[in-house]
Amino acid sequence: MSFCLTMTRSSGTLRALALVGAAFVFAHAAEPPRRPKLVVAVVIDQFRYDYLLRFRADYTAGFKRLLEQGAVFTDAHYLHATTVTAVGHSTFLSGAPPSVSGIVGNEWYDRAAGQTVTSVFDPKSKLVGGVPGAPGSSPRRLQVSTVADELKMQGVESHTIGVSIKDRSAILPLGHMADGAYWYDPDSNHWVTSTYYRAELPDWVRKLNAENRYQQYIGASWLPVDAQDHTAKPFCTMVANTEVRFCGGLEATPWGNEMIEEFAERALANEDLGHHSGTDILAVSFSSNDYVGHAVGPDDPAVRDISIRTDRLLGKLLNLAESRVGGDNVLVVLTADHGVAPVPEVNAARNMPGGRLTQLELDGKITEALTKRYGPGKWLLPGSPAMEYLNLELIQSKKLDAAEVERVAAEAASSMSHIARVYTRHQVASGQVQDDPIGRAISLSFFAPRSGDLFILPEPYFLFDAAGTSHGTPYDYDNHVPVIFLGAGIKPGTNAEQIAPNDIAPTLAYLLGVEQPSGSIGRVLGQIVQ
Ligand SMILES: [Zn+2]
């Protein structure tokens, strides 16, 4: 725009001034921004926005740089109600809500298959690199395109690689046309992919697996990051049956994230990311924050500890990316797939609301009410409180009206203490939800071919979990996450306006000069474009 002003000022007459100005503005608007060579797209699994504020003084590397030099959105909230990993990761680079993407949860009951399936379960594919013959995972259940797909469909050479401990978190961000998605197989302790992507692991992944890096953590203890010496009490240890809490596996320690970062470094080098004619994308999802957070909750020192360690790992990765490709050529975008609720007992001790509910009681109430009205039967299929499935075959065999059965079941669910709302399939499908953000969030989470028949929302801070804590509601502690852009073409600064992570994909599409992903409901965050 500064060039535009110079042009108009140098013109002679007012009329010429207007014409030249208009012509130039048009040309300027049609001109895409200079494309970055590499996008580093980062998701921290279970990372509330307030972790940036609470631990800010302890950040010295990646988060510090993002906060000081990036375009920071302080009020980004997911639009969907089902704030879980698969949904957050499918939204990240597609901008699509579950109602359009079809990714309605980490798993759902597949009525046609008669079984529960995960968001990426694909019996047509096989695992590559892990246990031979094991079923593989793929993005086939994702109904929409991503920014990475749009890049690929444009026909310019771009390489897109995803990595995470979790298959869904490696696969869903990049979508259908990725060159590779790699995740960690705890059974073989190896990085794996599926035949959807390729028949064999690339040589460099095979080599990394052969190094058996996990062995250095056998018997190790996770000590606080600021521990002075080894006499400090560990958060957990990899040795079972000791006085210290068992870590619950490599993935539930900061070492899981270290292994992800190490894989990302190898991918940068071996796939030569940032050195193709089009823009490359490296999508990295750090999973360990989620495993730790579920076990101990957001107020435990272990969450601060792993956040600080994530800051350092992120700094390391960004430095390497920039040194390989040049700082001016790298665009970084960071978000989280969801937040998390406080541990109910921690809340109770500080006079805050909350508590634990059980699905056993909920399912019992629903089954009891349906049995009383319509007779005995297996009324409920496998599901969760957020998405209960009624037995449609039973309903049909008894020649009942499905909408009426749903209403009876919903009334029973509503009678349980600390249930805030219950919506039926027929209500959500016909728009009969409360006209407020929570009602809209539940609508945006509904995809008729896959969603259940009852959507049950507990009051804030109430969980259907026996221990630890969880997420998955439209409440702010679950849906308020960081959104930060840094680098090529980005205007640094703090942006306090409310946005959604759904805006990330269209903004990236604009910056990369590609079509908007097919299911995006977001908008371009134009104010951060330089
Ligand atoms: Zn997650």
Side-chain angles (χ1 to χ4, degrees), residues 51 68 195 291 312 403 483 499:
Y51 292 178
E68 290 179 356
T195 52
Y291 291 108
R312 294 177 182 182
V483 170
I499 66 150

Side-chain angles (χ1 to χ4, degrees), residues 200-522:
E200 288 187 357
L201 288 175
D203 286 344
W204 65 268
V205 179
R206 260 210 295 264
K207 185 169 171 295
L208 179 59
N209 282 342
E211 291 174 29
N212 286 322
R213 308 284 292 169
Y214 72 94
Q215 286 179 344
Q216 64 186 302
Y217 306 115
I218 293 171
S221 292
W222 170 14
L223 293 168
V225 69
D226 30 23
Q228 297 300 316
D229 53 50
H230 282 245
T231 60
K233 186 174 181 286
F235 290 114
C236 65
T237 169
M238 295 298 286
V239 183
N241 303 318
T242 60
E243 282 181 14
V244 181
R245 183 175 72 86
F246 179 57
C247 294
L250 252 188
E251 65 273 16
T253 70
W255 309 317
N257 280 352
E258 286 180 17
M259 292 177 63
I260 294 167
E261 195 276 335
E262 182 177 50
F263 188 100
E265 284 194 13
R266 301 278 180 110
L268 273 171
N270 290 284
E271 299 280 336
D272 208 18
L273 297 180
H275 297 283
H276 298 99
S277 53
T279 302
D280 294 342
I281 303 184
L282 174 63
V284 183
S285 172
F286 288 106
S287 311
S288 296
N289 308 69
D290 182 64
Y291 291 108
V292 171
H294 272 289
V296 300
D299 303 297
D300 191 275
V303 166
R304 170 183 169 269
D305 196 274
I306 195 170
S307 299
I308 296 169
R309 291 172 185 272
T310 308
D311 163 68
R312 294 177 182 182
L313 278 179
L314 192 58
K316 190 163 175 267
L317 181 63
L318 299 189
N319 287 343
L320 182 79
E322 289 173 348
S323 72
R324 289 193 65 85
V325 186
D328 290 352
N329 294 317
V330 179
L331 170 61
V332 183
V333 58
L334 176 135
T335 191
D337 56 345
H338 50 75
V340 72
V343 171
E345 292 75 23
V346 171
N347 249 15
R350 58 192 178 194
N351 285 340
M352 285 289 288
R356 296 191 187 275
L357 311 174
T358 71
Q359 190 177 357
L360 196 69
E361 184 189 348
L362 176 69
D363 288 2
K365 280 185 181 292
I366 295 169
T367 300
E368 190 189 325
L370 294 176
T371 301
K372 200 172 158 196
R373 176 77 70 96
Y374 305 113
K378 186 179 170 353
W379 287 103
L380 287 171
L381 299 172
S384 66
M387 204 155 70
E388 293 271 21
Y389 289 82
L390 292 171
N391 186 343
L392 296 186
E393 284 176 17
L394 182 63
I395 291 169
Q396 277 159 12
S397 73
K398 287 178 179 282
K399 297 191 168 45
L400 301 172
D401 174 43
E404 192 201 303
V405 178
E406 286 172 15
R407 276 198 300 277
V408 173
E411 207 171 296
S414 306
S415 73
M416 187 162 152
S417 298
H418 304 297
I419 297 299
R421 299 189 194 195
V422 181
Y423 292 121
T424 66
R425 159 176 282 263
H426 281 81
Q427 283 176 323
V428 178
S430 60
Q432 297 173 62
V433 294
Q434 201 167 320
D435 183 21
D436 72 350
I438 290 177
R440 286 191 287 279
I442 288 172
S443 292
L444 286 172
S445 304
F446 179 76
F447 180 69
R450 295 176 183 169
S451 291
D453 303 301
L454 292 173
F455 308 94
I456 297 155
L457 178 67
E459 292 171 3
Y461 303 115
F462 281 84
L463 300 177
F464 281 96
D465 296 87
T469 186
S470 199
H471 49 84
T473 73
Y475 298 126
D476 286 62
Y477 48 77
D478 280 346
N479 76 16
H480 184 200
V481 293
V483 170
I484 309 178
F485 293 80
L486 169 77
I490 299 300
K491 199 187 291 174
T494 301
N495 299 270
E497 67 175 296
Q498 190 169 343
I499 66 150
N502 302 67
D503 300 331
I504 294 171
T507 303
L508 278 180
Y510 173 75
L511 291 166
L512 303 186
V514 298
E515 183 52 77
Q516 305 259 328
S518 55
S520 171
I521 60 166

